Amino acid sequence: MSNPENILPANESERLAALKRYNILDTLPEHAFDDATKLVAYICDVPIAHISFIDETRQWFKSEIGIGATEVPREITFCRYTILDSKMVEISDTYLNERFKDDPNVVGGLKVRFYAGIPLTTPDGYNIGTICAIDHVSKELNKSQINVLSIVAKHVINQLELRTKNLELAAQKKIVQRAVLAKDNFLANMSHEIRTPLNAIMGFTDLLAQTNLDAVQRDCVDSMQIAQENLLLIVNDILDLSKIESGNLTIDAQPFHLKNTLKHIYDLLKVKVPQAVEFNLFLDAEMPEIVIGDQGRLNQILVNLIGNALKFTEEGEVTVSVKNMQEAADNYSLKFTIKDTGIGIPEKKLEHIFERFTQAEESTTRRFGGTGLGLNIVKQLIELQNGEIHVKSKQGRGSEFFFVLTYKKADYVETVQLPLSDYNLGKLKILLCEDNFLNQKLVKNVIHKFGFELDIAENGEIGIDLLSKNNYDLILMDLQMPVKDGYQTTQHIRNKMNLNIPIIAMTAHSLVGEQERCYNEGMNAYVPKPFKQEALLEAIKLAVSKNTSSVLKRKIDLSFLEEVSFGDLGFRQEMIDLFLEKIPHEITLLGEAIHKNDIDTVRRLSHNMKSSLDIFMLKDLSNYVSIIEKEAILGQFSAETLDRIAILHHEIVEVISVLKELR
């Protein structure tokens, strides 16, 4: 064919647009297409097969067998005719075909004697390419072969559709991820702005509580502290939404006074009770004093439910009752009921009442206020504790909310809290990097109460300058500051100044991953705002002890190992080698399992590690691992777990260094 025909489909521009929509041209090989080509060659018993796409100027091969090229000019292809048709084009013998008998690929080139091609037709009817079987001898396909060729062609189009959908999903995922990041940034900023003044209020109230107060003043301060704690829980509602959605909201399991907690909630909320409403709290006589569970989340649930009952009841009564439904060998099942004689909920609204941003009537928000978040969060908090919440209500006759939670039994031993002044950490000199004036004043009062010295920097840049001129034992680092924030300042201290001074993050941020990021940036401990004095002092003790351990070289006690080795130095060395090989890896795995909340793996690893640490008489590290194991057995990790992992990482590095010297 000396003058190839330049033929185009009638819908060529639309066909090309359909082809480009798939973004398939010039892509890398893919198994799905290669397998389809192999299947065509096998079924049709031919040496040449291909899946190709035809654009303005070329036929491009996505997959091929027996051709050895990635593309050929469009004007010399058989397939430019195939895309004109709606069904398979079969040429049994090209020597007998007037159109192709003189084609270069018939008389030479690929020596095509047999050709069968099916157009690849998109769901909207455009032929964007072909799937072909080619042979060097004349032949005809039987019905089964033709049927398989048609099925494979449809499969190829399905693969293209799936591939396109996946690309669209990936693009949508990026959009969602950007939206989540924007939301997290908004929540972080909102959290910081709200928590910063709340931190000052709570801190100064704690300082006031430590002064000499008469009975009335003491009662007022106690009520203020309860109100602050519950205000903090309410502020956390919006942050909990983010954590619940990401699956990162955890339930803490610690012993707490159940009866005291319920009475505190009652005392807090009774000030809201309208004059015409009787507010009652009934506790089962067989209810336990102490249980193991999440006190804060129970507060959050009950404050929401009781607060709603009081808000929507203008006369009559609101009754809170707690009943011990069942006592097992190691737990209690307790039923909590909140019943009121308020406005009630229309029956048609009951199934939607726990949905986010939902209230029983539009007029409810205008009349009573509220965001519609409370019941949604309550439901999810109860479900996170393996419970269910139910509601019974009639409009105009009141509502009854009830749920059952199971709490573990606690072997309670009364402990005496040492006064803060009884702790002796020496005369520490501390640098505070904090831009908020109220927080500066609060921390200054608290630190001086601890007996430490304090210098204050209003931002990270000033902090770095003070650090270059003075010697400090510790830095308290706010994360959100002007000029240089806490992360940038820490990076400068660690990487530019090469200082190993302990740094404690103090932040009003409360988002998932914040604490882990602090450790990754080189900080030694983490105290969320609003902070408790005891928590801050404990973090200081922890950070200072870490710093001390890095200076004082650890001594390894091999007495137990020598006792069980009976003088066999080879056995002793083998045990040391096993420790060096296993423990660093196991600590890494342990940290990863804690971050993933993989309780079974944490329990197994911590149990095994404890035995290894005991052999080398590393009692302090063994104790840390024991605590982590107990937390895993209880099913929840405390806020200090990451601190313990950080300590273990740090200390094991020192242990390994010493053991290597003994080899």
Side-chain angles (χ1 to χ4, degrees):
M1 294 173 58
S2 55
N3 294 307
E5 297 175 78
N6 185 21
I7 54 174
L8 296 174
N11 60 0
E12 177 68 358
S13 60
E14 293 87 352
R15 188 193 72 83
L16 291 172
L19 171 61
K20 291 176 181 177
R21 187 173 67 235
Y22 288 106
N23 290 311
I24 191 68
L25 295 174
D26 300 307
T27 57
L28 294 172
E30 297 176 51
H31 291 302
F33 295 96
D34 290 342
D35 290 344
T37 303
K38 290 174 185 176
L39 180 63
V40 168
Y42 175 76
I43 294 295
C44 298
D45 190 24
V46 294
I48 302 172
H50 66 73
I51 295 170
S52 63
F53 299 95
I54 298 176
D55 65 10
E56 296 93 333
T57 60
R58 59 179 175 155
Q59 178 178 14
W60 177 78
F61 300 106
K62 175 63 178 174
S63 177
E64 55 83 18
I65 294 174
I67 294 177
T70 57
E71 60 183 63
V72 294
R74 175 174 174 169
E75 63 268 16
I76 67 169
T77 65
F78 284 31
C79 294
R80 72 185 188 277
Y81 297 104
T82 303
I83 62 172
L84 299 174
D85 214 323
S86 59
K87 58 184 183 298
M88 187 179 81
V89 173
E90 183 178 22
I91 303 171
S92 300
D93 191 340
T94 56
Y95 288 180
L96 305 178
N97 186 286
E98 289 298 322
R99 174 174 281 167
F100 294 111
K101 65 181 182 180
D102 297 323
D103 188 281
N105 273 318
V106 172
V107 297
L110 294 176
K111 299 187 182 298
V112 177
R113 188 76 181 270
F114 165 79
Y115 170 89
I118 289 185
L120 297 174
T121 306
T122 66
D124 47 357
Y126 298 108
N127 295 339
I128 59 174
T130 60
I131 184 166
C132 299
I134 298 170
D135 207 339
H136 304 305
V137 296
S138 63
K139 65 196 306 180
E140 287 186 7
L141 299 181
N142 58 41
K143 288 184 178 179
S144 296
Q145 291 171 318
I146 293 172
N147 187 44
V148 169
L149 205 58
S150 298
I151 291 171
V152 174
K154 291 177 182 176
H155 170 73
V156 170
I157 289 295
N158 288 338
Q159 283 295 319
L160 287 175
E161 287 289 317
L162 180 61
R163 187 176 180 278
T164 301
K165 290 290 188 295
N166 287 338
L167 290 172
E168 290 174 356
L169 285 173
Q172 290 296 322
K173 183 179 179 182
K174 288 182 179 179
I175 293 172
V176 170
Q177 287 173 337
R178 286 197 293 268
V180 169
L181 180 61
K183 181 193 71 174
D184 284 348
N185 287 335
F186 167 75
L187 290 176
N189 290 330
M190 184 189 70
S191 169
H192 186 273
E193 293 305 315
I194 295 174
R195 285 168 177 269
T196 296
L198 183 56
N199 174 59
I201 295 169
M202 295 183 72
F204 285 119
T205 304
D206 284 345
L207 289 173
L208 181 60
Q210 294 164 27
T211 62
N212 294 323
L213 304 172
D214 60 33
V216 175
Q217 292 170 329
R218 175 65 59 188
D219 184 60
C220 289
V221 169
D222 288 344
S223 296
M224 287 169 60
Q225 289 178 315
I226 294 169
Q228 290 162 7
E229 292 291 344
N230 285 284
L231 175 60
L232 183 58
L233 288 173
I234 293 168
V235 169
N236 285 340
D237 272 359
I238 192 69
L239 299 173
D240 285 346
L241 283 176
S242 175
K243 294 180 182 179
I244 289 170
E245 287 171 352
S246 62
N248 286 305
L249 188 141
T250 58
I251 300 299
D252 195 15
Q254 299 292 334
F256 70 94
H257 288 264
L258 180 59
K259 287 186 177 180
N260 286 354
T261 297
L262 296 168
K263 289 175 181 176
H264 279 314
I265 294 171
Y266 175 78
D267 290 338
L268 170 70
L269 294 177
K270 69 181 180 183
V271 299
K272 296 182 176 181
V273 179
Q275 192 171 0
V277 174
E278 184 179 349
F279 183 32
N280 298 306
L281 173 64
F282 297 123
L283 303 181
D284 193 334
E286 298 181 358
M287 195 180 74
E289 291 278 347
I290 309 295
V291 294
I292 294 176
D294 196 322
Q295 179 185 12
R297 297 305 176 188
L298 180 61
N299 274 350
Q300 196 172 356
I301 292 166
L302 293 177
V303 166
N304 263 301
L305 293 177
I306 301 171
N308 279 348
L310 293 171
K311 182 166 66 173
F312 299 129
T313 304
E314 296 179 333
E315 60 180 5
E317 62 180 352
V318 172
T319 301
V320 181
S321 61
V322 184
K323 185 177 181 181
N324 187 359
M325 300 294 291
Q326 184 178 355
E327 181 177 351
D330 60 351
N331 60 54
Y332 303 98
S333 291
L334 305 175
K335 182 179 180 181
F336 299 81
T337 304
I338 298 91
K339 190 173 183 179
D340 66 67
T341 58
I343 62 175
I345 304 167
E347 187 175 352
K348 65 180 181 180
K349 295 287 186 177
L350 281 176
E351 60 180 300
H352 304 293
I353 199 67
F354 293 107
E355 293 176 4
R356 191 176 302 174
F357 307 116
T358 298
Q359 293 194 331
E361 299 287 353
E362 290 182 6
S363 60
T364 301
T365 301
R366 293 193 299 271
R367 183 178 174 191
F368 297 99
T371 63
L373 289 174
L375 287 180
N376 176 263
I377 292 174
V378 162
K379 179 177 183 290
Q380 297 192 69
L381 289 177
I382 291 171
E383 290 175 349
L384 279 170
Q385 299 176 79
N386 301 313
E388 289 184 359
I389 186 168
H390 303 275
V391 58
K392 295 188 294 186
S393 184
K394 288 189 177 180
Q395 192 169 12
R397 298 180 60 182
S399 305
E400 179 181 341
F401 289 82
F402 57 94
F403 59 94
V404 176
L405 292 180
T406 299
Y407 288 110
K408 292 184 179 180
K409 290 184 175 180
D411 295 325
Y412 181 69
V413 178
E414 188 70 40
T415 58
V416 178
Q417 180 69 43
L418 287 174
L420 294 177
S421 58
D422 287 357
Y423 289 106
N424 183 16
L425 297 178
K427 195 73 172 177
L428 298 181
K429 187 171 183 179
I430 296 175
L431 173 63
L432 171 66
C433 295
E434 166 68 66
D435 64 314
N436 183 272
F437 173 74
L438 281 176
N439 283 337
Q440 291 175 3
K441 188 174 181 181
L442 171 62
V443 175
K444 183 177 180 180
N445 273 274
V446 172
I447 292 299
H448 286 171
K449 187 176 180 64
F450 293 162
F452 308 146
E453 295 181 23
L454 185 74
D455 285 347
I456 298 174
E458 294 179 358
N459 58 58
E461 196 73 62
I462 296 173
I464 290 169
D465 183 59
L466 287 173
L467 194 58
S468 66
K469 298 175 181 176
N470 304 297
N471 293 321
Y472 295 100
D473 300 295
L474 180 82
I475 300 174
L476 301 177
M477 184 74 71
D478 182 37
L479 296 185
Q480 194 171 68
M481 297 181 292
V483 187
K484 260 190 181 1
D485 65 24
Y487 293 119
Q488 294 168 331
T489 306
T490 300
Q491 290 167 4
H492 186 93
I493 292 169
R494 296 294 187 236
N495 302 326
K496 302 291 186 182
M497 302 177 75
N498 295 318
L499 295 178
N500 196 35
I501 182 172
I503 300 175
I504 298 176
M506 296 183 69
T507 177
H509 288 187
S510 184
L511 294 179
V512 175
E514 193 76 55
Q515 187 170 356
E516 183 179 356
R517 183 184 175 190
C518 289
Y519 288 122
N520 290 339
E521 294 290 354
M523 300 181 203
N524 304 82
Y526 176 97
V527 175
K529 297 176 186 175
F531 66 85
K532 289 290 186 182
Q533 295 179 47
E534 294 86 351
L536 177 58
L537 184 59
E538 190 62 33
I540 291 173
K541 288 171 60 182
L542 182 67
V544 171
S545 67
K546 287 182 189 179
N547 193 49
T548 303
S549 65
S550 66
V551 176
L552 301 176
K553 195 166 188 178
R554 176 182 285 273
K555 294 182 180 179
I556 307 295
D557 185 352
L558 298 178
S559 58
F560 178 77
L561 183 58
E562 290 170 351
E563 181 181 338
V564 297
S565 67
F566 297 103
D568 185 344
L569 295 179
F571 174 78
R572 191 188 85 158
Q573 190 57 53
E574 183 180 353
M575 294 295 289
I576 291 174
D577 290 342
L578 281 172
F579 184 95
L580 295 174
E581 177 185 347
K582 288 177 56 181
I583 292 296
H585 180 60
E586 288 182 352
I587 286 183
T588 299
L589 293 178
L590 183 63
E592 292 173 353
I594 288 172
H595 287 307
K596 295 176 183 175
N597 205 33
D598 185 348
I599 291 170
D600 290 337
T601 300
V602 173
R603 186 166 57 239
R604 175 179 55 81
L605 284 171
S606 56
H607 182 77
N608 292 339
M609 286 176 60
K610 184 177 182 301
S611 300
S612 301
L613 295 169
D614 285 340
I615 290 173
F616 288 83
M617 306 293 284
L618 298 167
K619 295 297 183 183
D620 56 334
L621 305 187
S622 177
N623 182 53
Y624 282 125
V625 175
S626 295
I627 294 171
I628 293 173
E629 182 185 8
K630 289 176 183 175
E631 290 178 333
I633 292 170
L634 288 173
Q636 293 294 337
F637 302 115
S638 67
E640 291 77 26
T641 305
L642 285 175
D643 283 333
R644 296 188 182 102
I645 285 294
I647 291 173
L648 283 168
H649 271 294
H650 182 275
E651 294 297 324
I652 285 299
V653 169
E654 182 68 20
V655 170
I656 289 172
S657 175
V658 175
L659 285 177
K660 284 182 176 179
E661 293 178 4
L662 297 175
R663 298 172 79 176

